[in-house]
Amino acid sequence: MGSFLEAVGDGVVLVRVRGNLDGWAGSAELAEALTTVADRRGRRTVVDLSSVDFADSSGLHALLHGLRKHDSAGVPLVVAGPLSVQVRRLFEVTGTLGAFRFVNDVAAAITE
């Protein structure tokens, strides 16, 4: 998994995630990145999951951790897709679809 932070203007930070998001790769890095961004107290954080092929409960835990940090900081966190079938299924099976704000693509999440 790779992720990186990118300031995209007007207080919006984009966190791009690529590859797998699971207990073996990426989950700890994503949780750390989301904590760092929340602490900056920007206007919005967009997590781009459009290039994630697979995610498990560790990846979901990292996202939920990041969501809690953002809620505490008063910074909206938006998840951008499109999501792969496997990633969308993870949110559906765990009943966490309603916990996140989902947007169809990064451009829409940044400009809304």
Side-chain angles (χ1 to χ4, degrees), residues 20-98:
N20 291 340
L21 185 57
D22 57 29
W24 296 103
S27 296
E29 293 89 346
L30 178 59
E32 183 178 319
L34 291 176
T35 296
T36 298
V37 174
D39 289 345
R40 292 181 188 170
R41 298 185 190 275
R43 188 170 65 85
R44 178 184 320 121
T45 300
V46 176
V47 180
D48 176 10
L49 297 182
S50 64
S51 295
V52 174
D53 302 315
F54 172 79
D56 69 6
S57 61
S58 297
L60 179 60
H61 178 73
L63 288 164
L64 289 167
H65 173 80
L67 181 62
R68 284 190 301 275
K69 291 288 188 179
H70 278 72
D71 285 348
S72 295
V75 178
L77 185 138
V78 179
V79 176
L83 302 178
S84 72
V85 171
Q86 294 85 353
V87 173
R88 181 165 183 78
R89 184 80 178 128
L90 174 66
F91 289 108
E92 291 171 347
V93 168
T94 59
T96 55
L97 268 175

